[in-house]
Amino acid sequence: MPIETLREAIEALFDEKPPTYSEDHFRIFQEFKDALNAGQARAAEPDGAAASGWRVNGWVKKGILLGFRMGAMVDMSVDPARQPFFDKATYPVKKFSVASGVRIVPGGSSVRDGCFVGKGVTCMPPMYINTGAYLGDGTMVDSHALIGSCAQIGRNCHISAASQIGGVLEPVGALPVIVEDEVLVGGNCGVYEGTVVQKRAVLGTGTILNRSTPVYDLVRQTVHRAGDDEPLVIPGEAVVVAGSRAITSGPGKDWGISLYTPVIVKYRDAKTDTKIQLEDLLR
């Protein structure tokens, strides 16, 4: 089914809310999920006309939510006693084969059906990729990392151990988290609430990015903030570290309290690239 026809069918079914779902309805949803798995349908995609460089495909989010509405709870356990697995019948684990070109190292990882995982992606245990996510070729998802629903991850990224890339499924018009090509997300980082991390940026260990916390750019002498209708955007090649900002008035000043804030301390250069290339030896 062409994508435009599929979009129309998903939106009609989402709005219709029938009391029961027919075989034809489940066939439409399976075609939608096949498009997600193939990377043909994405919750967001590049758009040069948008201020953030990305646009939301709300109908894709509707399709994902539709799957939760349609699915009945079933037992998908391989061994109910040792490893119970109960979930919506519409969202089993994603199927892989050697031809998929994805390394899944054993040890408790899970990839939910309805997401695109490109060639050369490495999944280190245990990690989790939720439905609607998109991971470009050559990306590594390290141990204890989470890729949330609808998150869009580019090519040749490294999502380091214990990092969380938040999911934004609702509202359907909200931009999901975007991590563009060749981004290094350090250990224990968190990227949430539709933040856009542009190409080749580096997030130092423990950096947290969300709509509420401004990012201070020491190099360009500016402050990056989310707007009412626009996400927080981290510029390409920025090197962001966890910093602090002193409270300048009231009891907070008297008590010497500082608040967490991300800080851009430099932009990538040859020395930074040399350090990051060491990550490739782990692949």
Side-chain angles (χ1 to χ4, degrees), residues 215-224 235 238 262-265 267:
V215 179
Y216 289 80
D217 190 333
L218 301 181
V219 180
R220 297 177 179 176
Q221 300 182 24
T222 189
V223 181
H224 304 279
V263 180
I264 297 175
V265 293
Y267 282 77

Side-chain angles (χ1 to χ4, degrees), residues 6-202:
L6 182 60
R7 180 189 67 79
E8 293 172 355
I10 288 292
E11 290 194 325
L13 186 55
F14 184 85
D15 294 335
E16 181 183 347
K17 298 180 180 178
T20 59
Y21 293 98
S22 67
E23 289 185 8
D24 189 54
H25 293 152
F26 280 99
R27 178 189 57 78
I28 291 171
F29 177 71
Q30 185 59 54
E31 289 199 36
F32 166 71
K33 205 162 51 170
D34 290 343
L36 285 176
N37 284 323
Q40 297 167 346
R42 298 179 61 173
E45 57 188 303
D47 183 354
S52 66
W54 290 78
R55 76 168 183 271
V56 180
N57 291 325
W59 73 271
V60 174
K61 291 188 173 186
K62 288 181 179 180
I64 295 169
L65 291 169
L66 180 63
F68 289 108
R69 188 193 303 168
M70 293 174 67
M73 284 288 291
V74 295
D75 184 350
M76 292 186 266
S77 308
V78 176
D79 185 333
R82 296 184 179 182
Q83 192 172 18
F85 175 17
F86 308 102
D87 202 352
K88 296 282 188 172
T90 43
Y91 289 110
V93 294
K94 182 178 173 71
K95 294 181 179 178
F96 290 97
S97 68
V98 173
S100 302
V102 176
R103 289 178 56 199
I104 304 179
V105 181
S109 295
S110 184
V111 182
R112 211 173 193 182
D113 200 19
C115 62
F116 175 78
V117 182
K119 298 282 188 182
V121 168
T122 300
C123 301
M124 298 300 291
M127 59 96 242
Y128 183 71
I129 301 172
N130 208 346
T131 190
Y134 182 103
L135 278 76
D137 295 352
T139 283
M140 172 180 277
V141 184
D142 218 332
S143 301
H144 298 282
L146 165 69
I147 309 297
S149 181
C150 297
Q152 306 289 295
I153 310 296
R155 294 179 292 104
N156 299 321
C157 294
H158 188 127
I159 311 301
S160 297
S163 290
Q164 295 192 12
I165 308 300
V168 181
L169 186 52
E170 294 184 279
V172 293
L175 189 72
V177 173
I178 308 291
V179 177
E180 295 184 352
D181 297 346
E182 299 182 26
V183 169
L184 173 62
V185 178
N188 287 292
C189 287
V191 186
Y192 307 108
E193 299 175 339
T195 296
V196 177
V197 182
Q198 294 184 335
K199 292 180 180 180
R200 291 174 47 79
V202 177

Side-chain angles (χ1 to χ4, degrees), residues 50 162 245:
R245 175 168 52 110

